[in-house]
Amino acid sequence: MLDALVIAPHPDDAELGAAGVILKLQQEGKRVGVLDLTSGEPTPQGSLETRARETAAATKVLGLEWRENLGLPNRSLEATLENRAKLAAVFRRVKPKWLFAPYWEDAHPDHTAATKLVEDARFWSKLTKTDEPGQMALAGEPHHPSRVYYYYCVHLKLAPQPAFVVDISDVWEKKIESIRCYESQFVTGRPTTSPTFYDRLRDEAAYWGKSIGTAYGEPIETREPLGLAKLGGLV
């Protein structure tokens, strides 16, 4: 059973957008998993074997006990009924309380398809009587994740106004270490003059940290209102 499941269109998206949240939740004793929807390949400098090695390395850095790949096609990810059933079956199997999905506005079609797929599968995951005629059979017992949070791994130059920002100052170096595992995506063939890709990541995290009075932050969005039982966790 997982407390939180981060769904990523491609290996590296969870690290880019939610590694800080993953590490912070684990500090609190929460069990966190990552489900990559596709292999992420082909890419200009990558291969299936390279990406698999990089993903395994990043998984080790993050200390994840659970990570799987749904095996859907890269570059042509769609929120089809078949894919919805596959993802809902995972939700029923690992029973996460919280889901983390990509932010719903993006230039990458795989990212927006992933968001739609997560939302649809969340609804399907709670359905009963799916074995009746005319229904698409779903494996496992019904389960409904109580929350969907959205992390930013966007290909658009947005100026987002997130629902909240998580202080990731104490796990920032570990987050960067996990992203550096994907050398084929963020180092090979990229410019080495300043500002580099990693310079941009640091600047963005520092911006969000400044917005809440800390060194580094990670923004998270929601579609639904948040309820607080106490204010002690506010920065």
Side-chain angles (χ1 to χ4, degrees), residues 198-216:
Y198 291 104
D199 292 334
R200 296 292 193 193
L201 284 181
R202 182 201 61 224
D203 292 346
E204 288 176 7
Y207 168 82
W208 291 115
K210 180 184 177 183
S211 74
I212 59 171
T214 68
Y216 297 105

Side-chain angles (χ1 to χ4, degrees), residues 58-91:
T59 300
K60 184 176 181 180
V61 169
L62 292 176
L64 291 169
E65 296 180 10
W66 191 98
R67 187 169 195 163
E68 292 186 4
N69 194 300
L70 202 57
L72 302 181
N74 182 47
R75 296 185 179 178
S76 55
L77 182 63
E78 293 182 305
T80 63
L81 294 180
E82 181 181 2
N83 291 343
R84 187 191 305 177
K86 289 179 181 179
L87 185 54
V90 175
F91 294 168

